[in-house]
Amino acid sequence: MLKEKIAKGVMYVALAIVFAIIVLILSSIFIKGVKCITWEMVTSLPCGDFYTGGRGGFLNAIAGSLCIVSIATIIGLFISIPILLYLNIYLAKGSKFAFAVRLSLDILFGIPSIVYGAFAFIIMIYIGMRASLAGGILLTILLIVPVLVRSMDEFAKSFPQELLEVSYSLGATKLQTIGLIIRQIAPGIAAATLLAVGRAIGDTAGVMFTAGFSDSLPTSLTRPVATLPLAIFFQLSAPQEAVQERAYAAALVLTVIVLIISLLGRFITNRFGRNRL
Amino acid sequence: MKSGRRRVYRSEGVAVIMTVITFCVILLLFAMSGVLCFKSLPILKTHSLSELLTASSWRPSKNEFGFFPFIAGTLCVTAIAIVIALPLSFLTAVFLTEYSSGRIRRYVYPALDILSSLPSVIFGVWGTLVIVPWISKRVAPLFVGFSSGYTLLAAGIVLGIMILPLLVSLFTELFSSVPIGLKEVSASLGATRWQTTKKVVIKRSLPGLFATVVLALSRALGETIAVLMVCGNLPQVPHSLFDACYPLPALIANNYGEMLSVPLYEAALMFAALLLFFVVLIFNVLSRIIYRAH
């Protein structure tokens, strides 16, 4: 019985530590961020001496991040939904090709974003692209396609085979069955999209190489664009306290955005999914 | 209703497009390794592989490219992260699957979800805000006296916390997949909760546990920005927890701007990226193999 009690006690301690860490992180970010944030920061662009203590805000970063992520997600969905459907409908269950593709996706999912950044950087130099909005979009697409396909695949795997068979037995081609499938796994697609968006908006190392940085709002595909994570990083590295405070404010904004996305995702899975915990 | 043949042509036509797109996924993987290899060739031609991996001197302007401090830094940070994260995540996962009530789970799972969704730069900010001063003011004076706080220990702590949710979620999946029949049999034979957990659940999951750790290692190896912000960025082999270190991803991220100024610098950084790529690749495939065998 003593062993039992010790084991339980140790586990309670571990759980308490983990929970305390989570609370500590969120509260530090919130407390420090709320102290430093002003309305001006969220709604204005950096003025001339922003990075040395002047006025202005980081709207350029917010707009840049939203721009990159939204465009990349839309294009990413156009790429990943066909892959998902192909893997699950057109290919047979035990197909070697499907196995190879899923393995590749798993590996791609695990590759650090800095390696993606290096790769995208080389490609961009080769085709003559400079660090720009287009570069940032390219990298984000590369980054989130594995995330999208992998998470949607999890949902698609739990799709009942009988529905497919009924559809074929009624004479539908594979393409027509797809309409049926998409309606069924739509919540899965939504949740996967939110997951990918959360990952994309927080990525720093990849956009460092490919999107550059800029003080202005995103205006064209070929000019560098600011991103929120990079803005936080640069501002925090500045020696002036005033600039560092803006980093904390920006960190708060980013955290809030990510939390909203995460909660939304959870809400959708709980509300519309089946057999969710 | 569309004509019979046209439906079929449409379906087959779309299939071709989908095949191409799907094939591009595999192509992407090969393209990445090929491109990185190609770009690292210049430095591999002039320096031998063993020299690159074991030399300690990093002076690009003098054509000295010793990667050992960075490899050592990466290994040390990852080791500390695992040492911190493994016991915590393991115990938490066992608790959540075997012991806890639904009420606790309802609070803990979302909390872990939130932790896992936080961007790495936020962890870097938190590390700079909380961990670095804590080490500098409270921990270091007990051991070595002075430290700026930007240390191996800071990076290890931050990284450990970052891989916690992944470990917990993979562990809970593992433990949940132990057939409930086995646990019931064990209980019916008179085993206590802990005995059942230890001898049935954990023992059965051992290969999966190993695969999970390998996967978490590969994730930790590649983490760039959070580690960069707190590790100190000094190219030296760390000899104590309170030394600054310089892991491989931080090397690439910090120096990409000066890549094109010094000859071979670009090839060196691409070689670092290649190293990361291959280690992650091997670890991922390894963990997959173990999972399948299990």
Side-chain angles (χ1 to χ4, degrees), chain B:
Chain B
M1 189 63 182
K2 301 188 180 70
S3 93
R5 240 184 283 158
R6 246 201 307 166
R7 288 189 312 149
V8 177
Y9 286 157
R10 248 191 184 206
S11 180
E12 297 306 309
V14 168
V16 170
I17 300 179
M18 286 189 184
T19 319
V20 170
I21 300 180
T22 309
F23 192 70
C24 285
V25 168
I26 305 185
L27 199 67
L28 178 63
L29 201 58
F30 281 101
M32 254 195 202
S33 46
V35 165
L36 287 174
C37 273
F38 180 68
K39 277 289 179 175
S40 322
L41 276 181
I43 194 171
L44 287 170
K45 274 193 234 167
T46 55
H47 298 76
S48 77
L49 190 62
S50 60
E51 183 196 330
L52 286 173
L53 294 177
T54 54
S56 293
S57 154
W58 179 262
R59 273 185 281 243
S61 47
K62 294 198 190 143
N63 201 18
E64 290 174 29
F65 294 105
F67 281 92
F68 188 64
F70 308 105
I71 297 178
T74 305
L75 290 175
C76 290
V77 173
T78 312
I80 295 178
I82 289 280
V83 161
I84 294 178
L86 197 55
L88 280 177
S89 56
F90 182 75
L91 290 167
T92 307
V94 171
F95 184 76
L96 287 174
T97 50
E98 301 298 316
Y99 281 81
S100 73
S101 63
R103 206 163 47 126
I104 297 185
R105 268 183 234 154
R106 248 187 318 148
Y107 288 110
V108 175
Y109 279 143
L112 284 169
D113 253 357
I114 289 176
L115 189 65
S116 68
S117 65
L118 286 179
S120 67
V121 69
I122 300 289
F123 282 102
V125 167
W126 177 72
T128 318
L129 189 57
V130 172
I131 299 284
V132 167
W134 176 67
I135 292 183
S136 171
K137 295 195 192 122
R138 299 282 162 82
V139 182
L142 300 172
F143 294 95
V144 292
F146 173 74
S147 162
S148 68
Y150 292 95
T151 57
L152 183 63
L153 181 62
I157 293 177
V158 171
L159 194 57
I161 297 177
M162 287 177 79
I163 60 174
L164 250 178
L166 173 71
L167 283 171
V168 173
S169 93
L170 287 175
F171 283 161
T172 51
E173 227 181 86
L174 262 177
F175 295 147
S176 315
S177 72
V178 172
I180 199 161
L182 279 174
K183 292 189 275 189
E184 288 178 349
V185 165
S186 172
S188 74
L189 287 172
T192 65
R193 216 44 182 303
W194 173 242
Q195 281 174 328
T196 307
T197 307
K198 189 166 91 157
K199 297 205 187 276
V200 175
V201 177
I202 296 180
K203 221 167 182 199
R204 248 189 93 90
S205 317
L206 271 179
L209 291 180
F210 186 64
T212 302
V213 173
V214 170
L215 202 65
L217 274 174
S218 81
R219 194 66 61 83
L221 283 172
E223 179 41 58
T224 315
I225 195 83
V227 172
L228 193 160
M229 285 167 90
V230 295
C231 71
N233 297 316
L234 280 182
Q236 60 184 29
V237 178
H239 290 291
S240 101
L241 280 178
F242 299 97
D243 277 344
C245 62
Y246 207 162
L248 270 174
L251 168 71
I252 306 174
N254 274 325
N255 296 304
Y256 87 97
E258 295 135 39
M259 254 202 296
L260 305 170
S261 55
V262 174
L264 286 189
Y265 210 165
E266 187 190 6
L269 292 181
M270 291 305 159
F271 177 65
L274 185 67
L275 276 178
L276 277 176
F277 177 82
F278 268 116
V279 173
V280 167
L281 176 76
I282 293 172
F283 276 23
N284 264 288
V285 171
L286 196 69
S287 82
R288 250 313 187 98
I289 292 178
I290 299 178
Y291 266 126
R292 283 209 101 189
H294 176 230

Side-chain angles (χ1 to χ4, degrees), chain A residues 127-139:
Chain A
I127 61 178
M129 229 161 62
R130 288 160 47 228
S132 56
L133 179 60
I137 293 177
L138 170 69
L139 176 110

Side-chain angles (χ1 to χ4, degrees), chain A residues 174-184:
Chain A
K174 292 196 165 159
L175 184 57
Q176 287 170 313
T177 313
I178 282 177
L180 169 72
I181 309 272
I182 296 208
R183 261 198 304 277
Q184 284 292 309

